[in-house]
Amino acid sequence: MPIALLALAIGGFGIGTTEFMAMGILPDVSEAFGISIPTTGYMISGYALGVVIGAPILVSLGARVDRKHLLIGLMAMFTLGNLASALAPNFGFLLVSRFLTALPHGTFFGVGSVVAASLVPVTKRAQAVSMMIAGLTVANVVGVPLSTLASQQLGWRSTFWIVTAVGVLTLIALALWVPRQKPRAGTSVRSELGALTRVQVWLALLVGAVGFGGMFASYSYISPMMTDIAGFTPTAVTLVLAVYGIGMTVGNLVGGRAADRALMPTMYAGMAGIAVVLVLLHFLAPFKVAAVAMVFLLGFVGSALIPSLQMRLMDAARDAPSLAAALNHSALNIANAAGAWLGGLVIAAGYGYTAPNLLGAGLAVIGLGLALASGLLERRGASGPAAASAGAEARVGDAPDSRVRADSGSAAE
């Protein structure tokens, strides 16, 4: 694989750590500013809102910018946002800086996916995308626990200094290893937004928003489920979450290979897998070993779906793959917020901490239905990308100099 993918993966690691570390530092931030935990939680929802809003705006504004320069600009914005968070004098300032830090999130992954896919032969596009996303999954295994530990030992500001340093490292790697890549001739704001007129793009986005909403309905309440139902201590739950992160990392790599071989069947299997695992988790949660196994599988099947969903969007959007790939992360953040909200409703209604699993399984079944509808439309030629496999190389890697081979010499500018 080209060394440029390592630069993208480092960036993914930094962004993933920034997004998810907030859960671990909430108590320290709450105590530092003298506010309640629920109020401190706004820094999580504020970040999600920034991802949703930033993706379509920044992709459209950067439609005619060299993709390497756009990635560097996005990472610079991300790095400055974390620096501002580290220096925040009050919670209001921290909330605003978190929102600004999130704006380039979806665009970085969207543009990065297009660049990653263009660096390898067409038969390995999904694997290349999964390598970049691997940085995001590794963040759950390494970045989040370390940031939580740093917050406890050195103060919450230290976590933002750490991700600021990761941002600087990514900027250097992007400048050295990622090749320049001009956007497709004729690319404009109008052509990027034109992707939103295609039924297949909306179907793929709905698969992510609804199907992953099911997974997040369960995962948002995994900690109380593991303590109150499975009987783990709060300290042991940290290890359970690490097991989930390992499942994500393995699933992402397996899903990338599977998507290159059979894109739509991998998507179907991923959605069905989420539904099955959530049903099993509902019934097996009281048994420690079985519960941990289900948590691993939940991370595995959920993450295995992401590369196929990303590639599906890029193919469906045809001449606007950057916007579609970026909107995928907006959809996943909508899933995060909606899933957590719906899961909270069933718990508040008195159905217990395992009830979100059955709710999530139902949402995953709906997501599977949407995926099947998308595949059926494509087979009928109604609105699917007519020659996704044959023309994907030209559409995704549409810059004349984008067919870079996997060696450090050709990856340098």
Side-chain angles (χ1 to χ4, degrees):
M1 287 289 181
I3 194 172
L5 294 179
L6 178 58
L8 298 173
I10 295 172
F13 174 81
I15 291 175
T17 301
T18 295
E19 178 180 14
F20 297 116
M21 74 180 186
M23 289 77 162
I25 68 174
L26 283 185
D28 299 317
V29 175
S30 173
E31 182 179 356
F33 291 122
I35 55 179
S36 67
I37 290 290
T39 300
T40 311
Y42 290 150
M43 63 188 290
I44 298 174
S45 54
Y47 189 95
L49 181 63
V51 176
V52 173
I53 293 175
I57 294 176
L58 293 181
V59 167
S60 298
L61 292 177
R64 303 184 69 177
V65 178
D66 181 285
R67 287 175 181 149
K68 173 177 180 172
H69 295 157
L70 180 56
L71 286 171
I72 290 175
L74 293 168
M75 186 49 56
M77 185 185 305
F78 166 83
T79 304
L80 290 174
N82 279 298
L83 177 61
S85 295
L87 300 172
N90 53 60
F91 182 70
F93 190 96
L94 177 61
L95 193 60
V96 172
S97 65
R98 283 281 293 174
F99 174 80
L100 296 176
T101 302
L103 291 176
H105 177 126
T107 308
F108 184 88
F109 280 107
V111 175
S113 294
V114 175
V115 172
S118 72
L119 296 174
V120 298
V122 67
T123 55
K124 294 185 176 180
R125 294 182 307 144
Q127 292 180 60
V129 171
S130 72
M131 289 295 293
M132 183 191 70
I133 297 175
L136 185 66
T137 61
V138 171
N140 283 275
V141 183
V142 179
V144 174
L146 286 181
S147 63
T148 301
L149 181 63
S151 178
Q152 295 170 350
Q153 300 299 320
L154 304 174
W156 65 269
R157 294 181 189 276
S158 66
T159 62
F160 289 102
W161 285 112
I162 291 171
V163 290
T164 297
V166 174
V168 173
L169 178 62
T170 304
L171 285 170
I172 296 172
L174 291 172
L176 293 177
W177 297 337
V178 175
R180 294 191 62 176
Q181 194 176 102
K182 295 181 180 179
R184 181 188 180 98
T187 298
S188 64
V189 174
R190 177 177 294 182
S191 66
E192 287 287 340
L193 294 178
L196 298 180
T197 64
R198 295 167 189 153
V199 174
Q200 289 287 17
V201 171
W202 284 105
L203 282 173
L205 289 173
L206 284 172
V207 170
V210 177
F212 269 88
M215 189 188 75
F216 284 120
S218 172
Y219 181 66
S220 299
Y221 303 96
I222 199 73
S223 291
M225 191 190 313
M226 291 298 104
T227 55
D228 290 23
I229 306 300
F232 285 103
T233 65
T235 302
V237 170
T238 303
L239 298 177
V240 174
L241 294 178
V243 169
Y244 175 85
I246 294 171
M248 286 185 65
T249 303
V250 177
N252 173 63
L253 298 176
V254 172
R257 289 181 176 274
D260 277 328
R261 295 181 179 180
L263 183 62
M264 293 306 292
T266 300
M267 188 183 299
Y268 303 150
M271 275 286 95
I274 291 174
V276 171
V277 170
L278 286 176
V279 171
L280 290 174
L281 180 58
H282 174 77
F283 292 105
L284 297 177
F287 309 98
K288 288 185 177 181
V289 175
V292 172
M294 291 305 103
V295 169
F296 172 86
L297 289 176
L298 183 61
F300 179 92
V301 296
S303 192
L305 177 60
I306 294 178
S308 62
L309 192 58
Q310 193 88 327
M311 294 308 305
R312 178 62 174 170
L313 276 165
M314 290 163 65
D315 286 346
R318 297 196 289 274
D319 53 345
S322 296
L323 177 61
L327 287 176
N328 184 35
H329 292 271
S330 294
L332 295 182
N333 273 269
I334 291 173
N336 191 347
W341 176 66
L342 291 172
L345 288 182
V346 296
I347 292 174
Y351 292 105
Y353 286 123
T354 60
N357 296 322
L358 294 182
L359 170 69
L363 291 174
V365 169
I366 296 174
L368 175 60
L370 291 168
L372 291 170
S374 176
L376 180 61
L377 280 175
E378 181 175 328
R379 286 194 296 272
R380 290 181 175 179
S383 60
S389 297
E393 180 177 6
R395 289 195 300 270
V396 176
D398 52 20
D401 60 342
S402 66
R403 305 304 300 160
V404 181
R405 292 301 176 188
D407 61 271
S408 57
S410 61
E413 182 179 355

